[in-house]
Amino acid sequence: MTQLHQEIVGIDAAIFMHPTTWKASGHVDAFNDPLIDNKDSKKRYRADVLIEDYCEKYLQKANKEVEKARKRFGESFDEDMYRKTNPRVLGYLEKATEPTARLASLLEKEDLAGVKALIEELEIKCPVSGSMNWTDVRQFNLMFGTKLGASADTATDLYLRPETAQGIFVNFLNVQKTGRMKIPFGIAQTGKAFRNEIVARQFIFRQREFEQMEMQYFVKPGTELEWFEIWKERRMAWHQSLGIDQSNYRFHDHEKLAHYANAATDIEFDFPFGFKELEGIHSRTDFDLKAHEEHSGKKLQFFDHEENKSYVPYVIETSIGLDRMFLAVFSNALQDEVLEDGSERTVLKIPAVLAPVKAAVLPLLKKDGLPEIAQEIIDDLKWTMNVQYDEKDAIGRRYRRADANGTPFCITIDHDTKEDKAVTVRNRDTMTQERVAIADLKSYLEPKVAMSEWLKKI
Ligand code: GAP
C-alpha cells in the first residue's frame, strides 16, 4: 500500500480511544451479532452463519453438477447456458440465494424472530446434537470493554478498538495537513483489533484478538463507486499475485449493507472449511468523518482548490485480517505428497517471498572443511535473506525438515565443492537439483525470493 502508492501513507494509531469515538462510529449501538443456542448440545452459533452455511452447501451442489456436466460434454460445454437452463442446477441455486436475500431483509428490519423462523423453516440442525431445539435469536454486542482509572467508582468505561479504521478517521486531518495530501489519498495501518466474539472457532479464523491491515482511501463525493471498483480489482490482483490457484478466490457482494456503507464486497477464500471472508472492501460514504465531526465539534473536511470549496470526503476501505491471511496461505500450502518411489513427504508450499527461511545451508558431512564453507555461504547471503544452518541427520531427513517448514531452497555443500567451488541447490516444490557456482548463489536466489520481485508482479 504505502510503498507502491505515492498517495498512500501509513500511521500507527492508539488502541485505546476516547469512548465517544465508538458512540460516533455506531459500534456501541449497532456492532452486534445475532446468536442462537441449541438447547440440547448447549452450543452457541451465529444465526446468520448457520443460514449462510446452509446456502453455501447448495451452491457447492450446483457447482458439482456443473463440473459433472463439463466432464460429460467436453469441449462443447457451455457453462453459462447450463447454469441458466438445467433444472437441477437452477433448483440448487434457488436454494442457495433465496434464503440469503430473506436473511438480509430480516436483519435489516432487526426481525430476530423472523431469523429464527427461517432457521426452522430451512430445517437447519445443530451440527453437534443434530436437533432443531433452538433458543430465540438474540443480539450480542461485540465491543470489548475495560476500565480506565484508579478506583472502581471513578473509573471510566473504555473499549478496546474493534477495528483500526476509526484511528484513521480521527487522525484524518492531522495526516492530510502534515503530509500535504491531496484527494484522492489513502491512510493505511496494521494493528491489533479486539472483538468479544462469542463463537471464536475454526482454528485462527475467528479470534477475539487479531491483527488487521486496513486502508482508508479518501475521495471526492460522487466518485466513490468508481474507486470502489478500482480497489476491488487491485486487491484481487494483490491476492492472486501470490501464485495461489485463482479458483480459491471469489467476490461475495453484500446483500445487507452495514449502517455506514453504500457498496460492499468480500474477497472470499476457499478455506479447508469452505469459502469464507478473507478481506472486506467497503464504500463507507462520509458516514464516519461526519459522525466524528458531530460528536467532536471539529470540522473534518478537505479544501479542494480545483473546486474552490470544502467538503467531507467519501471513503473506500480495504480491510484484511493478517491472521486470516496467514491461515489462507498456510492451509493452502500445507500438503502431504506421495512421491514416485512410494515414500511420503509433508511439504509447506508457501510462496517463496513469504517463506520465513529462504534457504537451508547443509554441509553433507560435519567434517572435512564442509561446515566452514557453509558458514562462508551464510555470511554472504544473510544480508539480504534469512538462511538457516543445519548439519544434523542424513541429508534426506534434512531435506524433509526444510520441506515441512516451507524453506524454498536447500544448498548442499559436498566434497566436490572444494574442487569446483559449486553447490547443489534443491528446489522444495519440484525437488529438482542444480549445480550452482558459489559466486552466483546470490544472483540465482534473490530474484526467486525477494520482496521487490514479487511487488513488481502485482
Ligand atoms: N473496518 C472494517 C472492518 O473491520 P470487518 O469485515 O469486520 O470490517 C475486516 O473485518 C477483516 O478483519 C475481515 O475480513 C477479517 O479478515 C478480519 N477479521 C474480522 N473479525 C475477525 C476475527 N474475529 N478474527 C480474525 N480476523 C477477523
Side-chain angles (χ1 to χ4, degrees), residues 259-311:
H259 57 279
Y260 49 72
N262 69 357
T265 195
D266 293 336
I267 293 179
E268 291 189 338
F269 185 80
D270 195 5
F271 288 95
F273 37 85
F275 272 99
K276 297 271 176 201
E277 174 185 347
L278 172 58
E279 169 160 2
I281 301 161
H282 312 122
S283 173
R284 286 181 82 127
T285 67
D286 56 358
F287 174 86
D288 302 87
L289 288 179
K290 270 210 169 127
H292 289 302
E293 275 194 333
E294 277 159 28
H295 282 78
S296 67
K298 299 253 187 242
K299 278 206 179 320
L300 288 171
Q301 302 195 355
F302 172 75
F303 184 76
D304 190 327
H305 286 277
E306 278 169 23
E307 304 243 337
N308 201 27
K309 66 172 188 196
S310 292
Y311 54 77

Side-chain angles (χ1 to χ4, degrees), residues 248-259:
N248 287 292
Y249 300 91
R250 72 180 187 196
F251 283 115
H252 172 240
D253 294 333
H254 288 206
E255 304 256 350
K256 177 189 184 268
L257 291 172
H259 57 279

Side-chain angles (χ1 to χ4, degrees), residues 157-169:
D157 284 325
L158 268 191
Y159 293 107
L160 302 183
R161 64 181 178 195
E163 60 172 14
T164 59
Q166 299 303 323
I168 288 179
F169 291 125

Side-chain angles (χ1 to χ4, degrees), residues 361-366 389-399 401:
V361 184
L362 319 171
L364 194 59
L365 296 176
K366 275 191 253 179
Y389 180 76
D390 189 0
E391 60 173 23
K392 198 168 178 301
D393 300 320
I395 196 73
R397 291 192 62 175
R398 282 183 269 168
Y399 284 160
R401 266 205 295 273

Side-chain angles (χ1 to χ4, degrees), residues 31 162-165 195 197 204-212 214 216 260 266 277-280 282 284 317 319-325:
F31 193 45
E163 60 172 14
T164 59
R195 293 184 189 178
E197 299 278 4
I204 57 167
F205 181 80
R206 194 176 303 286
Q207 300 171 103
R208 297 188 176 98
E209 172 186 339
F210 56 98
E211 188 94 9
Q212 283 190 318
E214 297 200 294
Q216 266 62 43
Y260 49 72
D266 293 336
E277 174 185 347
L278 172 58
E279 169 160 2
H282 312 122
R284 286 181 82 127
E317 162 184 81
S319 174
I320 171 171
L322 184 103
D323 322 67
R324 217 174 261 191
M325 177 71 197

